[in-house]
Amino acid sequence: MTLSDAFRPASDIRINPSILAADFVNMQADLARIGTADFAHVDVMDNHFVPNLTFGLQMVERVQATSPVPLDVHLMIDDPARWAPGYAELGAASVTFHLEAATEPVALARALRAIGARAGVAVKPGTPVESLFDVLDEFDQILVMTVEPGFGGQSFMPETMPKLALLSAEARRRGSAVWLQVDGGISESTIAQAAEAGADTFVAGSAVFGAHDPDAAIAALRSTAQQHAH
Ligand code: DX5
Ligand code: ZN
């Protein structure tokens, strides 16, 4: 660890609670419980790309109007080129679509940036990341799924860590500012290994909303990630 690493600012770590684990009929109250988060992570599922259904533009527009923190939208949907721009237009700070579902990922990322959102691309646990190396600068965030997308409360898959380390090394080599996000099974007992592998942006659903004090859970996750970050 170098001196500059030791003084890495806390803002280099982002903790994004997933509202999939919130109470859907008390969303306003649950959003108010995560005021110390960096972003609210919003899981949009279409029952085609993943075998589960959540909510769409209309609901996310209300969440956007109500959330104390910016939105980090994670689209687990087919045909993202059709739908993703709408989430950027309603004001989501970050919109992430799946590489497996996109026909022209770079063109879609450019469209999202043109609207003013951060552009993210996500990969499922079995999807290689090498095809992203030459286009890293086209994205603001790469999401390495640490569970199979579709449901909250699943167990973290440590076998995804080598892929994250590869991306992290490649981003450093290229001097890229891309954020590396992990999503699925992130808790006090798994966040350290994800930070060590190079993640800087952490989604946590059950670990935050399942806690008695969500802001305390966010602080604990942030502190552990900080201690294990590069
Ligand atoms: C899973 C979703 C995740 C989920 C994480 O498909 O993308 O964001 O909400 O939930 P936990 O943290 O409970 O694994
Ligand atoms: Zn997610």
Side-chain angles (χ1 to χ4, degrees):
M1 181 181 269
T2 66
L3 192 63
S4 63
D5 285 336
F7 291 97
R8 182 183 172 118
S11 58
D12 279 6
I13 297 292
R14 286 155 292 269
I15 306 292
N16 302 356
S18 169
I19 63 166
L20 188 62
D23 179 346
F24 280 22
V25 295
N26 287 294
M27 190 56 80
Q28 187 167 12
D30 268 1
L31 285 166
R33 299 171 78 207
I34 57 163
T36 59
D38 294 274
F39 294 81
H41 182 84
V42 176
D43 287 307
V44 174
M45 305 185 191
D46 66 354
N47 203 27
H48 289 273
F49 182 73
V50 288
N52 195 9
L53 184 65
T54 54
F55 36 66
L57 281 166
Q58 203 177 347
M59 173 73 175
V60 178
E61 193 160 24
R62 292 298 297 143
V63 172
Q64 164 72 24
T66 309
S67 177
V69 293
L71 302 192
D72 170 40
V73 173
H74 175 195
L75 299 174
M76 285 159 276
I77 61 171
D78 282 339
D79 200 4
R82 176 174 172 189
W83 298 104
Y87 292 89
E89 277 157 11
L90 67 78
S94 174
V95 179
T96 297
F97 58 87
H98 267 267
L99 183 61
E100 302 87 355
T103 48
E104 294 186 81
V106 169
L108 183 50
R110 288 180 182 170
L112 293 170
R113 280 177 164 178
I115 299 166
R118 293 176 59 85
V121 66
V123 288
K124 297 204 274 188
T127 303
V129 290
E130 284 78 1
S131 70
L132 294 171
F133 288 176
D134 282 338
V135 289
L136 276 188
D137 283 344
E138 300 283 352
F139 300 97
D140 299 295
Q141 167 169 294
I142 298 180
L143 165 53
V144 172
M145 289 302 299
T146 44
V147 297
E148 288 298 340
F151 299 91
Q154 303 181 78
S155 297
F156 177 82
M157 295 169 65
E159 60 269 38
T160 58
M161 293 297 96
K163 205 163 65 174
L164 187 58
L166 260 182
L167 269 174
S168 175
E170 192 63 22
R172 269 169 196 250
R173 196 174 73 75
R174 293 175 185 250
S176 164
V178 71
W179 293 355
L180 298 181
Q181 183 176 58
V182 284
D183 180 10
I186 297 297
S187 70
E188 264 297 297
S189 54
T190 57
I191 197 167
Q193 54 182 303
E196 273 161 12
D200 50 41
T201 305
F202 303 86
V203 177
S206 22
V208 170
F209 283 106
H212 174 66
D213 180 347
D215 279 329
I218 290 166
L221 289 168
R222 191 187 299 285
S223 156
T224 305
Q226 188 89 41
Q227 287 161 33
H228 293 267
H230 288 197

